[in-house]
Amino acid sequence: MKRSLICFIIFTLILTASAYAEPPVDVAGTVYEEAVVLLKTLDIMKGYDDGYFEPDDVLTRAEFAAVIARIVSMQGFLITGDNLFGDVDEEYWAYSEIASVVRHGYMAGYGNGNFGPEDFVTYDQAIKVMINMLGYQLYAEQKGGYPGGNSIVAAEKGQSLRVRSFR
């Protein structure tokens, strides 16, 4: 029952997104269109103020933090006060999102007092965030920590998800 309800909700969201949302100008008619419209409809990714989405661009750490905050519904929380990083002041567009994901333990700074908001997020960093979000931090540490332990856990969990999906 639960599975069919979830499938129905997802199907409805996809249809709603496809039927009512306008795609950004640079993804209209491309292979990205359906996914981008869904991400925009769910308010997970927004694109840029000029109407472009730039699907081929690499995400910055700030953009990735904002996406993670939106996925776990932390956007909108205004966090002020303690400036966690020297390179992210309270006026920065993603300050609250960065502070939120850092305080929840999903992301971290570099250890030198900086977050590197305009640096591109790396594959290893993205895996670590996903491992943290799924609650496997300690298991990843037992397997060797960042980056190798995270990759091992991601591969293990990914394999178990693929096996389960065929049952």
Side-chain angles (χ1 to χ4, degrees), residues 81 84 89 100 108 130 152:
L84 301 174
D89 83 13
S100 293
M130 297 302 133
I152 291 168

Side-chain angles (χ1 to χ4, degrees), residues 17-147:
S18 300
Y20 298 108
E22 286 292 321
V25 294
D26 59 340
V27 297
T30 69
V31 296
Y32 304 119
E33 182 176 352
E34 187 176 342
V36 169
V37 168
L38 181 59
L39 290 170
K40 285 180 63 73
T41 301
L42 296 174
D43 199 32
I44 293 172
M45 298 183 88
K46 298 180 179 194
Y48 297 97
D49 292 338
D50 63 2
Y52 286 84
F53 190 80
E54 304 294 343
D56 293 319
D57 282 1
V58 180
L59 286 177
T60 65
R61 288 174 48 86
E63 290 167 335
F64 192 62
V67 167
I68 297 305
R70 292 174 193 141
I71 288 171
V72 295
S73 298
M74 287 188 288
Q75 81 277 15
F77 291 114
L78 182 59
I79 295 181
T80 59
D82 301 334
N83 195 343
L84 301 174
F85 302 105
D87 59 349
V88 183
D89 83 13
E90 289 187 35
E91 305 304 315
Y92 188 71
W93 72 269
Y95 174 82
S96 290
E97 290 87 349
I98 291 168
S100 293
V101 297
V102 168
R103 288 192 176 144
H104 281 83
Y106 299 142
M107 290 183 81
Y110 288 130
N112 63 357
N114 290 321
F115 183 79
E118 298 301 315
D119 295 350
F120 295 133
V121 68
T122 67
Y123 181 76
D124 288 333
Q125 291 168 351
I127 288 175
K128 181 174 177 154
V129 170
M130 297 302 133
I131 293 298
N132 291 348
M133 289 178 69
L134 293 170
Y136 292 114
Q137 304 96 316
L138 293 177
Y139 186 50
E141 286 299 320
Q142 293 170 351
K143 295 286 187 178
Y146 179 80

